[in-house]
């Protein structure tokens, strides 16, 4: 049924159905396999199936791993290796009433050899509170040792410490050659997630003397995505009730998945909801003011950011700078279909066409204005109040002003009663603006487009 094949990877093919997993489903079978997908896509079902298929070779660390005891289930006078095997077998069947129980680290740590316990303790002590174990009678080898973390028993620890402890014991257990881990991020803060991911990946390769294991991992956290070896990542999907698995094989797809795991909005990370690139600082000043009027009550609109590419006195170079800015910002796929750009009237339309092609725009987001300068789009009444030039004569006077400012080494030009730079004129204009009255519809349209395209 599933025709997908995986690069650089063997696969397991389902011979029959398993709790919604279709016959013929191909499951990747490499050293490190990371499953990403929305809730109820089938990630847990895949781990549960593998937990049964590989028998005694595998153990499954389910999300139900926060219930950590302070004392083991059995005593050292028992055959605890056999007892651990019985507990592992009990985790093979599906629990209709809830999660399959996770291995309890207090039971499991007793079954480790001293060398593996030392590795576990060294790693724990390096990144967390100090772990110690001791007996009240050190000469009694049959007494179960007491484990303390930061002076408290594991069962008295916070949820994050318990979640990590449960994972560590199985990761350092050499008797388990395959490990399925469901949502390793549960209750674990992001910096610790990074450390856990590093450890898990090292163990999947048996690096630095760590016990090598084949790892199957299901996650909703971008911190458990393998960004170095992207073909270790797989997307689990469900369409019309049918579950499938797709390997991530290129970085654009990887970036899209990471973006979704981060919440699908750059605003959550304090990035802009959208970006408008313009040529000069006066464009930046004026358009920011208009946006504040258009959508002042919307966080979406307030988070649209305007970037300018060059100074107003260097318009000839600004259009080249705008290319570089667009290509340096929009390499992130999330902005490429949303970004907007405003060009002054060009002598040649080639550059505008190139930017439209780069941003995959149909002409609604990358706009060439009808005039060569933002000054032509200032409210005429406000320009009259600043310059005392008759409105009918303003357009010709603006042309003379921009030409003189571009030619002046300091960017200074004169228009009626005003003498100064383009930026200083823009600041005088916005100081008088109380609303968008008199603002060109040409300008309002492109700003509304940027807001409409913005992330929520």
């Amino acid at each position: 049924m599933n025709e997908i094949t995986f690069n650089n990877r063997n696969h397991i093919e389902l011979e029959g159905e398993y709790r919604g997993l279709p016959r013929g489903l191909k499951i990747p079978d490499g050293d490190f396999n990371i499953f990403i997908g929305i809730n109820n896509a089938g990630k847990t079902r895949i781990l549960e199936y593998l937990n049964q298929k590989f028998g005694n070779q595998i153990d499954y660390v389910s999300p139900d791993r926060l219930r950590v005891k302070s004392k083991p289930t059995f005593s050292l006078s028992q055959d605890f290796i056999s007892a651990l095997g019985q507990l592992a077998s009990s985790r093979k069947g599906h629990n209709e009433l809830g999660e399959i129980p996770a291995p309890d680290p207090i039971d499991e740590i007793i079954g480790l050899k001293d060398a593996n316990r030392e590795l576990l303790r060294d790693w724990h002590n390096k990144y967390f509170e100090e772990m110690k174990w001791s007996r009240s009678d050190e000469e009694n080898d049959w007494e179960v040792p007491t484990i303390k973390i930061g002076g408290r028993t594991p069962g008295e620890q916070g949820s994050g410490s318990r979640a990590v402890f449960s994972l560590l014991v199985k990761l350092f257990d050499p008797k388990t050659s395959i490990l399925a881990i469901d949502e390793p991020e549960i209750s674990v803060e992001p910096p610790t997630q990074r450390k856990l991911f590093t450890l898990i990946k090292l163990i999947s390769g048996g690096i630095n003397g760590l016990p090598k294991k084949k790892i199957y991992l299901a996650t909703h956290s971008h911190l458990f995505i393998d960004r170095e070896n992207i073909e270790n990542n797989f997307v689990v999907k469900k369409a019309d009730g049918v579950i499938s698995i797709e390997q991530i094989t290129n970085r654009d797809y990887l970036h899209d998945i990471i973006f979704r795991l981060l919440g699908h909005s750059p605003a959550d990370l304090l990035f802009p909801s959208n970006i408008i690139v313009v040529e000069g600082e006066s464009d930046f000043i004026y358009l920011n003011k208009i946006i504040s009027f258009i959508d002042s009550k919307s966080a979406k609109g307030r988070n649209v950011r305007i970037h300018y590419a060059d100074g107003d006195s260097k318009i000839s170079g600004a259009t080249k700078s705008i290319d570089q800015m667009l290509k340096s910002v929009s390499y992130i796929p999330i902005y490429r279909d949303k970004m907007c750009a405003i060009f002054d009237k060009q002598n040649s339309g080639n550059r505008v066409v190139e930017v439209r092609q780069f941003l995959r725009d149909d002409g609604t987001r990358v706009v060439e204005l009808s005039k060569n300068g933002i000054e032509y789009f200032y409210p005429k009444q406000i320009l009259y109040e600043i310059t005392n030039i008759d409105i009918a004569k303003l357009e010709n006077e603006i042309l003379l002003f921009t030409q003189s400012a571009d030619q002046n080494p300091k960017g200074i030009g004169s228009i009626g009663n005003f003498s100064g730079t383009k930026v200083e004129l823009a600041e005088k204009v916005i100081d008088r603006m109380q609303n968008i009255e008199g603002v060109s519809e040409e300008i309002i349209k492109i700003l509304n487009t940027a807001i409409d395209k913005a992330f929520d």
Side-chain angles (χ1 to χ4, degrees):
M1 174 190 166
N2 185 350
E3 298 302 322
I4 293 174
T5 57
F6 306 118
N7 294 342
N8 306 316
R9 189 129 343 201
N10 295 324
H11 69 268
I12 301 160
E13 188 166 330
L14 236 67
E15 297 176 358
E17 293 186 2
Y18 176 81
R19 300 192 63 239
L21 300 181
R23 178 188 296 272
L25 176 70
K26 291 183 175 67
I27 301 173
D29 190 31
D31 288 336
F32 196 20
N33 312 274
I34 301 165
F35 299 125
I36 309 118
I38 63 173
N39 289 329
N40 297 317
K43 303 184 299 300
T44 295
R45 295 290 175 267
I46 292 168
L47 296 187
E48 290 176 352
Y49 169 75
L50 295 170
N51 188 38
Q52 290 194 4
K53 177 176 178 58
F54 287 114
N56 293 333
Q57 294 176 272
I58 191 171
D59 210 343
Y60 171 45
V61 184
S62 78
D64 185 31
R65 60 176 171 273
L66 301 185
R67 290 184 286 185
V68 176
K69 300 190 297 289
S70 293
K71 294 183 178 180
T73 304
F74 41 81
S75 70
L76 294 185
S77 60
Q78 296 176 273
D79 181 354
F80 56 83
I81 299 299
S82 174
L84 286 172
Q86 292 173 12
L87 289 173
S89 296
S90 72
R91 296 192 288 272
K92 299 297 178 185
H94 173 64
N95 182 357
E96 294 289 349
L97 299 178
E99 296 281 359
I100 294 175
D104 191 296
I106 295 298
D107 290 335
E108 299 289 330
I109 201 170
I110 293 174
L112 295 182
K113 293 183 177 179
D114 288 344
N116 297 103
R117 271 196 295 263
E118 293 298 332
L119 275 176
L120 188 161
R121 184 176 66 181
D122 290 346
W123 199 91
H124 192 286
N125 291 355
K126 184 176 181 179
Y127 296 111
F128 302 99
E129 291 185 282
E130 185 179 24
M131 175 188 291
K132 292 183 177 181
W133 47 78
S134 61
R135 296 184 176 92
S136 58
D137 182 357
E138 292 296 339
E139 296 182 0
N140 182 4
D141 292 338
W142 294 105
E143 182 185 348
V144 176
T146 298
I147 297 172
K148 293 288 183 73
I149 299 173
R152 296 184 298 170
T153 65
E156 297 172 322
Q157 296 294 315
S159 60
S161 176
R162 284 178 279 135
V164 170
F165 185 40
S166 296
L167 279 175
L168 292 187
V169 174
K170 293 308 300 182
L171 286 168
F172 284 98
D173 183 358
K175 297 187 298 301
T176 302
S177 60
I178 307 172
L179 191 61
I181 306 172
D182 206 345
E183 300 187 26
E185 67 270 19
I186 287 178
S187 292
V188 180
E189 63 179 352
T192 304
Q193 289 183 36
R194 292 182 188 277
K195 295 166 187 170
L196 272 178
F197 175 79
T198 299
L199 175 65
I200 291 169
K201 187 170 182 181
L202 289 173
I203 283 176
S204 73
I207 298 171
N208 296 343
L210 295 168
K212 178 175 171 51
K213 301 181 192 302
K214 180 182 294 183
I215 300 288
Y216 291 93
L217 183 154
T219 185
H220 291 287
S221 171
H222 68 287
L223 296 175
F224 285 94
I225 301 295
D226 193 339
R227 303 175 193 221
E228 182 181 5
N229 303 105
I230 62 175
E231 292 183 348
N232 286 337
N233 304 294
F234 300 84
V235 179
V236 181
K237 300 179 179 179
K238 183 187 288 185
D240 298 323
V242 179
I243 294 169
S244 63
I245 303 172
E246 181 178 354
Q247 187 177 33
I248 297 176
T249 56
N250 64 76
R251 294 210 171 269
D252 280 351
Y253 193 6
L254 181 72
H255 292 165
D256 183 66
I257 292 297
I258 292 173
F259 177 53
R260 182 179 62 76
L261 293 176
L262 286 169
H264 214 70
S265 175
D268 292 341
L269 303 175
L270 306 181
F271 288 116
S273 58
N274 203 359
I275 297 169
I276 306 171
V277 182
V278 297
E279 294 189 10
E281 188 176 357
S282 55
D283 305 74
F284 168 81
I285 292 167
Y286 181 52
L287 298 181
N288 260 328
K289 186 68 172 182
I290 299 172
I291 282 186
S292 72
F293 291 133
I294 291 177
D295 215 8
S296 60
K297 295 182 180 179
S298 166
K300 180 176 176 178
R302 286 198 304 271
N303 206 29
V304 172
R305 293 290 180 264
I306 299 176
H307 293 187
Y308 62 94
D310 208 334
D312 287 279
S313 62
K314 301 176 183 177
I315 293 300
S316 62
T319 51
K320 295 179 181 178
S321 294
I322 214 170
D323 273 358
Q324 296 306 311
M325 179 173 289
L326 289 169
K327 292 176 182 178
S328 66
V329 174
S330 64
Y331 79 92
I332 306 171
I334 61 174
Y335 283 119
R336 191 169 188 171
D337 295 324
K338 294 181 177 292
M339 286 182 69
C340 296
I342 302 176
F343 287 87
D344 291 342
K345 181 70 175 176
Q346 304 289 296
N347 294 327
S348 167
N350 291 340
R351 191 169 299 282
V352 176
V353 171
E354 288 174 8
V355 173
R356 282 178 179 161
Q357 290 174 344
F358 180 74
L359 293 182
R360 299 189 287 246
D361 177 46
D362 59 4
T364 58
R365 294 185 292 117
V366 179
V367 174
E368 180 182 358
L369 297 176
S370 58
K371 300 288 184 180
N372 186 26
I374 196 66
E375 293 78 15
Y376 292 97
F377 300 92
Y378 293 159
K380 296 298 187 289
Q381 181 59 36
I382 291 178
L383 277 180
Y384 167 73
E385 293 170 5
I386 294 170
T387 66
N388 200 31
I389 292 175
D390 186 86
I391 289 176
K393 299 179 180 180
L394 270 174
E395 186 162 320
N396 186 60
E397 293 298 324
I398 289 171
L399 174 61
L400 296 174
F401 167 72
T402 57
Q403 288 176 341
S404 62
D406 290 344
Q407 294 168 5
N408 186 285
K410 295 184 178 180
I412 296 173
S414 297
I415 178 170
N417 292 341
F418 174 82
S419 179
T421 65
K422 293 179 180 180
V423 169
E424 290 168 342
L425 179 59
E427 290 171 342
K428 278 191 171 292
V429 168
I430 68 166
D431 284 345
R432 291 173 178 264
M433 291 178 66
Q434 301 298 317
N435 49 49
I436 61 172
E437 184 178 345
V439 175
S440 166
E441 286 298 323
E442 194 173 342
I443 296 294
I444 292 174
K445 182 178 179 180
I446 181 62
L447 296 182
N448 277 328
T449 297
I451 293 170
D452 290 342
K453 293 284 185 181
F455 291 99
D456 292 321

